[in-house]
Amino acid sequence: MTAPATAETGLRTEYPFTLPRGYVDETGRVHRDGVMRLATARDEITTQADQRAKQNPAYLTVLLLERTVTTLGEVPVVDTFLIESLFASDLAFLQDLYRRINADGHTEVAVSCPHCGNDFAVDVAGDAPGGS
């Protein structure tokens, strides 16, 4: 696994996250903590050329997440079956995280406190070490 940031470039390539619900494996164990890496051009090109994505454009999301989610809990391999088996809320969370780190370049969202009205930023990927 590559380091989340390098001292020379300061480029962050991996983003830890915690799923809202979690993947439930065949033994009933829940896996919530994982890591997503930045997508490469190869990830985008390869998934768009995949026959499953050509037949169903919505499947592109599954293929991109399969390639960029590098770990999830103690599951040995993140594959299409695992991504397909996620709860809809977890899939939506990962889609948003993918968009944020690959298009927006950050994982923070602006929020306002409902009690005091103060505005602040929250890292939706969780307490990610290494800065952004």
Side-chain angles (χ1 to χ4, degrees):
M1 182 169 15
T2 60
T6 64
E8 294 147 9
T9 65
L11 176 64
R12 184 170 172 192
T13 60
E14 293 188 335
Y15 296 81
F17 63 82
T18 301
L19 293 175
R21 295 191 187 276
Y23 167 70
V24 181
D25 66 21
E26 63 278 350
T27 66
R29 197 159 169 209
V30 179
H31 305 270
R32 294 184 63 213
D33 296 325
V35 175
M36 181 182 290
R37 67 168 173 77
L38 282 175
T40 64
R42 182 182 304 265
D43 294 327
E44 296 274 343
I45 293 166
T46 302
T47 54
Q48 290 178 20
D50 190 289
Q51 197 60 33
R52 295 169 290 183
K54 287 181 178 180
Q55 291 174 352
N56 180 0
Y59 203 72
L60 183 62
T61 296
V62 171
L63 297 171
L64 284 170
L65 293 176
E66 171 201 16
R67 293 178 68 96
T68 58
V69 174
T70 58
T71 62
L72 184 59
E74 295 182 19
V75 178
V77 176
V78 176
D79 57 14
T80 53
F81 177 79
L82 185 148
I83 301 298
E84 291 170 342
S85 301
L86 291 173
F87 293 110
S89 58
D90 289 334
L91 182 65
F93 173 87
L94 290 175
Q95 286 175 301
D96 185 57
L97 181 61
Y98 180 92
R99 182 188 57 76
R100 287 183 183 285
I101 67 174
N102 288 289
D104 297 346
H106 63 84
T107 58
E108 292 182 345
V109 293
V111 295
S112 296
C113 175
H115 300 289
C116 69
N118 285 338
D119 296 331
F120 57 97
V122 172
D123 188 341
V124 295
D127 188 21
S132 56

